[in-house]
Amino acid sequence: MHQLHHLQELESEAIFVIREVAAQFERPALLFSGGKDSIVLVHLSQKAFWPARIPFPLVHIDTGHNFVETLQFRDSLVEKFHARLIVGSVQESIDNGRAVEEQGINASRNVLQTVTLLDTIEKYKFDAAIGGGRRDEEKARAKERFFSHRDEFGQWDPKNQRPELWNIFNGKKRMGEHFRVFPISNWTEMDIWQYIHQENIDLPSIYYTHEREVFYRDGVWLACAPFMKMKETEKTEVRKVRCRTVGDISCTGLSLSTANSLEDIIREIAATRVTERGGRYDDKRSDAAMEDRKKEGYF
């Protein structure tokens, strides 16, 4: 019962923040990756404005290297909630010369999302972008406030943020600036999974154990795909795996797992000693990889 009350408090806080976004901003949007956190945000937004529809569009930045299961789930979710979907294409950014495809064994389109995201925000004149970042995920995310100011170049300055005393949020901005808003900042990974279980929220099948062709690199299991280049010493094998966090295939590490249900996943998370982003291959580029990307306008 105590845990249920705890989740109710987190839910109420998140809904309050989401409603503040709708009240303070003229053109907000919800950044939707197809991962569990953004799916929970859609669920919370639906609750916040029921029986009306969600009053802002879902924005998905498509790297072109996404899991098929994620895209299929995205489309079914949009249809279920009668939501408006806007897709920004990294491939179009590359074709238009706005971004340059990385080369080599460790090439990824994950970093290229920043250009596409900022171009999409500029194209549609969004003044607030709701995201699923949580402070427990990673040390750079722990520096975020609920309302995170971005300058006219989409950049974030972690040393220059506004105070948020007594849950008073300052959304004032100059022309061309925008805010990233993180309603589930105070949630933990365990909170997310317990809330998904409590609310019976649907998820893409890749969050549950399934057989997939994978290979092992630098301590991380990665999915095989036509665009994934492998070293001569690496070999493919079929393993029972699941996604703990979902992103571009090139940087999403897979967990060896037998968890076939939400109860299994909750037990698995409670027992693990590996952090949620411990399997994210893109975070291994440097100790400050996430913070550097965020300063440039990343999610």
Side-chain angles (χ1 to χ4, degrees):
M1 187 66 185
H2 175 73
Q3 182 61 42
L4 178 63
H5 177 67
H6 173 59
L7 293 178
Q8 286 176 337
E9 288 185 344
L10 290 172
E11 179 190 71
S12 296
E13 178 183 62
I15 287 175
F16 172 75
V17 174
I18 291 168
R19 287 172 175 165
E20 277 292 298
V21 172
Q24 290 197 37
F25 297 99
E26 294 181 5
R27 298 180 68 86
L30 192 156
L31 301 179
F32 184 79
S33 67
K36 64 185 184 305
D37 297 320
S38 61
I39 292 168
V40 166
L41 276 180
V42 172
H43 181 83
L44 290 165
S45 298
Q46 192 262 347
K47 274 195 165 188
F49 303 105
W50 177 263
R53 293 182 182 179
I54 299 173
F56 35 71
L58 310 187
V59 174
H60 179 223
I61 304 303
D62 184 0
T63 65
H65 291 169
N66 291 302
F67 289 96
V68 173
E69 297 93 332
T70 302
L71 298 179
Q72 291 173 342
F73 185 89
R74 176 199 71 186
D75 293 341
S76 66
L77 188 76
V78 167
E79 184 177 351
K80 175 183 177 181
F81 289 111
H82 304 287
R84 179 186 172 203
L85 175 67
I86 293 173
V87 178
S89 168
V90 171
Q91 185 62 56
E92 285 185 14
S93 296
I94 294 170
D95 294 342
N96 295 335
R98 293 282 296 148
V100 179
E101 185 92 72
E102 290 186 0
Q103 303 297 322
I105 292 293
N106 294 315
S108 171
R109 288 187 172 182
N110 196 50
V111 177
L112 305 188
Q113 293 181 87
T114 299
V115 171
T116 310
L117 172 61
L118 293 177
D119 285 351
T120 303
I121 289 173
E122 172 63 25
K123 178 180 178 180
Y124 292 94
K125 306 299 180 187
F126 294 130
D127 54 2
I130 301 169
R134 306 188 326 268
R135 293 185 181 127
D136 76 315
E137 280 183 275
E138 200 271 344
K139 55 191 176 184
R141 295 202 190 278
K143 299 179 181 180
E144 290 280 19
R145 302 284 169 84
F146 281 102
F147 277 33
S148 182
H149 176 263
R150 296 297 197 272
D151 65 20
E152 64 270 30
F153 302 106
Q155 296 177 331
W156 172 62
D157 181 1
K159 296 180 180 179
N160 184 26
Q161 296 194 77
R162 299 171 181 180
E164 293 181 341
L165 306 175
W166 306 290
N167 281 349
I168 297 175
F169 304 121
N170 183 355
K172 292 184 179 179
K173 56 180 176 48
R174 297 185 180 92
M175 182 72 71
E177 299 176 342
H178 74 277
F179 277 80
R180 305 289 171 84
V181 182
F182 303 102
I184 58 173
S185 289
N186 289 331
W187 297 47
T188 65
E189 182 186 12
M190 181 61 82
D191 293 330
I192 290 290
W193 282 112
Q194 290 180 327
Y195 186 74
I196 288 170
H197 182 256
Q198 174 185 285
E199 298 289 303
N200 195 28
I201 299 173
D202 291 331
L203 293 174
S205 60
I206 53 176
Y207 274 111
Y208 301 96
T209 295
H210 58 286
E211 288 193 345
R212 187 177 291 270
E213 195 173 9
V214 297
F215 65 96
Y216 195 67
R217 175 181 296 171
D218 299 332
V220 178
W221 289 99
L222 295 170
C224 295
F227 51 82
M228 293 290 282
K229 298 179 181 178
M230 296 176 59
K231 301 175 184 177
E232 292 183 2
T233 55
E234 294 170 340
K235 61 179 182 178
T236 64
E237 50 188 299
V238 175
R239 291 281 193 133
K240 288 187 175 181
V241 295
R242 74 174 191 88
C243 288
R244 191 170 163 190
T245 175
V246 172
D248 188 286
I249 289 177
S250 64
C251 62
T252 299
L254 303 168
S255 300
L256 300 180
S257 174
T258 57
N260 287 312
S261 68
L262 289 173
E263 292 88 348
D264 290 342
I265 291 173
I266 289 171
R267 282 193 290 267
E268 186 178 274
I269 296 301
T272 189
R273 292 295 177 265
V274 178
T275 63
E276 181 179 6
R277 292 191 68 93
R280 285 297 290 253
Y281 196 73
D282 53 328
D283 287 351
K284 298 182 181 296
R285 294 191 176 200
S286 75
D287 289 339
M290 172 63 81
E291 183 157 338
D292 291 341
R293 293 199 302 273
K294 283 178 66 64
K295 286 179 179 178
E296 293 171 0
Y298 187 71
F299 296 91

